[in-house]
Amino acid sequence: MKARDVVVIDLKGKSSVTDTLVICSGNSKRHVSSIAENLIVESKHAGHPPLSVEGKDVGEWVLVDLGDVVAHVMQDETRDFYQLEKLWQ
């Protein structure tokens, strides 16, 4: 789906919520929603359906919780504002 600026952060021993955080960017609301939808579909096909999905209807920031992996798909402005990478590195 051509997500941009993909960052994978290992949180083992740092968080009790998840082991891995994936953050990536999309070009528009539609692109962000499409990336998240593809992730949801592919994870279901792999036998690991998401535990929760938040923000897909808005498309600025979609969180896909897969348990051991939490993915954040964001528009650039939202990603720049929240700077999640800096919280964990």
Side-chain angles (χ1 to χ4, degrees):
M1 296 301 303
K2 298 188 180 184
R4 294 180 294 100
D5 303 322
V6 179
V7 174
V8 178
I9 302 171
D10 181 7
L11 295 180
K12 291 178 187 157
K14 296 180 184 176
S15 171
S16 61
V17 177
T18 190
D19 290 337
T20 306
L21 190 66
V22 178
I23 305 168
C24 65
S25 296
N27 296 326
S28 65
K29 290 180 181 184
R30 181 170 286 197
H31 190 211
V32 167
S33 293
S34 294
I35 293 167
E37 180 62 29
N38 187 278
L39 176 58
I40 293 163
V41 168
E42 291 300 320
S43 66
K44 286 179 182 177
H45 286 315
H48 300 288
L51 302 174
S52 177
V53 177
E54 300 291 332
K56 190 169 168 280
D57 54 334
V58 178
E60 290 182 27
W61 178 355
V62 182
L63 181 143
V64 181
D65 183 353
L66 299 164
D68 291 341
V69 176
V70 173
H72 296 270
V73 185
M74 309 167 94
Q75 287 191 50
D76 289 329
E77 300 83 24
T78 305
R79 188 171 178 177
D80 289 342
F81 183 79
Y82 287 100
Q83 299 182 8
L84 295 180
E85 295 96 329
K86 288 186 179 183
L87 291 175
W88 295 104
Q89 293 181 344

